[in-house]
Coordinates of all heavy atoms in Angstrom, one line a residue:
L1 N -94.5 99.3 -33.9 CA -93.0 99.3 -33.3 C -92.8 100.6 -32.7 O -92.1 100.7 -31.7 CB -92.2 98.9 -34.4 CG -92.1 97.3 -34.8 CD1 -91.3 97.1 -36.1 CD2 -91.5 96.5 -33.6
I2 N -93.1 101.6 -33.4 CA -92.8 102.9 -33.0 C -93.5 103.3 -31.7 O -93.0 103.8 -30.7 CB -93.1 104.1 -34.1 CG1 -92.1 103.9 -35.2 CG2 -93.0 105.5 -33.5 CD1 -92.5 104.8 -36.4
R3 N -94.8 102.8 -31.6 CA -95.5 103.1 -30.4 C -95.1 102.3 -29.3 O -95.2 102.5 -28.1 CB -97.1 102.9 -30.7 CG -97.6 103.9 -31.6 CD -99.0 103.8 -32.0 NE -99.5 104.9 -32.9 CZ -100.6 104.8 -33.5 NH1 -101.5 103.8 -33.5 NH2 -101.0 105.8 -34.4
R4 N -94.6 101.0 -29.6 CA -94.0 100.1 -28.6 C -92.7 100.8 -28.0 O -92.5 100.7 -26.7 CB -93.7 98.8 -29.2 CG -93.1 97.9 -28.2 CD -93.9 97.6 -26.9 NE -93.3 96.7 -26.0 CZ -93.6 96.6 -24.7 NH1 -94.4 97.5 -24.2 NH2 -93.0 95.8 -23.9
A5 N -91.9 101.4 -28.9 CA -90.8 102.2 -28.4 C -91.1 103.2 -27.4 O -90.5 103.3 -26.3 CB -90.1 102.8 -29.5
F6 N -92.3 103.9 -27.6 CA -92.6 104.9 -26.6 C -93.2 104.2 -25.3 O -92.8 104.8 -24.2 CB -93.9 105.7 -27.2 CG -94.5 106.7 -26.3 CD1 -93.9 107.9 -26.0 CD2 -95.7 106.3 -25.7 CE1 -94.5 108.8 -25.1 CE2 -96.3 107.3 -24.8 CZ -95.7 108.6 -24.5
E7 N -93.9 103.1 -25.4 CA -94.3 102.4 -24.2 C -93.1 102.0 -23.4 O -93.1 101.9 -22.1 CB -95.1 101.1 -24.6 CG -96.4 101.5 -25.2 CD -97.1 100.3 -25.8 OE1 -96.5 99.1 -25.8 OE2 -98.3 100.4 -26.3
L8 N -91.9 101.7 -24.1 CA -90.7 101.3 -23.3 C -89.9 102.6 -22.7 O -88.9 102.3 -22.2 CB -89.9 100.4 -24.3 CG -90.5 99.2 -24.7 CD1 -89.6 98.5 -25.8 CD2 -90.4 98.2 -23.5
G9 N -90.5 103.7 -23.0 CA -89.8 104.9 -22.5 C -89.1 105.8 -23.4 O -88.6 106.9 -23.0
C10 N -89.1 105.4 -24.6 CA -88.3 106.3 -25.7 C -89.3 107.5 -26.1 O -90.4 107.4 -26.3 CB -88.1 105.5 -26.9 SG -87.4 106.5 -28.2
T11 N -88.6 108.7 -26.0 CA -89.3 109.9 -26.3 C -88.6 110.6 -27.5 O -88.9 111.8 -27.8 CB -89.4 110.8 -25.2 OG1 -88.1 111.2 -24.7 CG2 -90.2 110.2 -24.0
F12 N -87.6 110.0 -28.1 CA -86.7 110.7 -29.1 C -86.7 109.8 -30.3 O -86.2 108.7 -30.4 CB -85.4 110.9 -28.5 CG -84.4 111.7 -29.3 CD1 -84.8 112.7 -30.1 CD2 -83.0 111.3 -29.4 CE1 -83.9 113.5 -30.8 CE2 -82.2 112.0 -30.2 CZ -82.6 113.1 -30.9
F13 N -87.3 110.3 -31.5 CA -87.5 109.6 -32.7 C -86.8 110.3 -33.8 O -87.1 111.4 -34.0 CB -88.9 109.2 -32.9 CG -89.6 108.5 -31.9 CD1 -90.1 109.1 -30.8 CD2 -89.7 107.1 -32.1 CE1 -90.8 108.4 -29.8 CE2 -90.4 106.4 -31.1 CZ -90.8 107.0 -29.9
D14 N -86.0 109.5 -34.6 CA -85.1 110.1 -35.7 C -85.5 109.5 -37.0 O -85.7 108.4 -37.3 CB -83.7 109.7 -35.4 CG -82.7 110.4 -36.4 OD1 -82.3 111.4 -36.1 OD2 -82.5 109.7 -37.5
T15 N -85.7 110.5 -38.0 CA -86.0 110.2 -39.3 C -85.3 111.1 -40.2 O -84.4 111.9 -39.9 CB -87.6 110.2 -39.6 OG1 -87.9 109.9 -41.0 CG2 -88.2 111.5 -39.4
A16 N -85.7 111.3 -41.6 CA -85.1 112.1 -42.5 C -85.9 112.2 -43.8 O -86.6 111.2 -44.2 CB -83.6 111.8 -42.8
E17 N -85.8 113.3 -44.5 CA -86.5 113.4 -45.8 C -86.1 112.5 -46.8 O -86.9 112.0 -47.6 CB -86.4 114.8 -46.3 CG -85.0 115.2 -46.7 CD -84.8 116.6 -47.4 OE1 -85.8 117.4 -47.2 OE2 -83.8 116.8 -48.0
I18 N -84.9 112.0 -46.8 CA -84.4 111.1 -47.9 C -84.7 109.5 -47.6 O -84.5 108.8 -48.4 CB -82.9 111.2 -48.1 CG1 -82.1 110.8 -47.0 CG2 -82.5 112.6 -48.5 CD1 -80.6 110.7 -47.4
Y19 N -85.1 109.2 -46.4 CA -85.4 107.9 -46.1 C -86.7 107.4 -46.8 O -87.8 107.9 -46.5 CB -85.6 107.6 -44.6 CG -84.4 108.0 -43.7 CD1 -84.6 108.1 -42.3 CD2 -83.1 108.0 -44.2 CE1 -83.4 108.4 -41.5 CE2 -82.0 108.2 -43.4 CZ -82.1 108.4 -42.1 OH -81.1 108.8 -41.2
A20 N -86.5 106.6 -47.8 CA -87.5 106.0 -48.6 C -88.3 107.2 -49.2 O -89.5 107.1 -49.4 CB -88.4 105.1 -47.8
M21 N -87.5 108.2 -49.6 CA -88.2 109.3 -50.4 C -89.4 110.0 -49.6 O -90.4 110.3 -50.3 CB -88.5 108.9 -51.8 CG -87.4 108.5 -52.6 SD -87.8 108.1 -54.4 CE -88.8 106.6 -54.0
G22 N -89.2 110.1 -48.3 CA -90.2 110.8 -47.4 C -91.2 109.8 -46.8 O -92.0 110.2 -45.9
A23 N -91.2 108.6 -47.3 CA -92.1 107.6 -46.8 C -91.9 107.3 -45.2 O -92.9 107.1 -44.5 CB -92.1 106.3 -47.5
N24 N -90.6 107.4 -44.8 CA -90.3 107.2 -43.4 C -90.9 108.3 -42.6 O -91.4 108.1 -41.5 CB -88.8 107.0 -43.3 CG -88.5 106.5 -41.8 OD1 -87.8 107.2 -41.0 ND2 -88.8 105.2 -41.6
E25 N -90.8 109.6 -43.0 CA -91.4 110.7 -42.3 C -92.9 110.5 -42.1 O -93.4 110.7 -41.1 CB -91.0 112.0 -43.0 CG -89.6 112.5 -42.8 CD -89.3 113.9 -43.4 OE1 -89.9 114.2 -44.5 OE2 -88.6 114.7 -42.8

């Protein structure tokens, strides 16, 4: 999904250290 977002023109991705205790990063 993240790579599909890039294919659609997205170049800005947001996460955080607390999202799922680091798993999201």
Side-chain angles (χ1 to χ4, degrees):
L1 285 168
I2 292 172
R3 291 177 180 171
R4 177 59 180 155
F6 176 76
E7 291 172 357
L8 293 168
C10 178
T11 62
F12 186 38
F13 296 84
D14 183 90
T15 182
E17 65 175 14
I18 68 168
Y19 294 164
M21 297 182 293
N24 194 248
E25 285 184 321

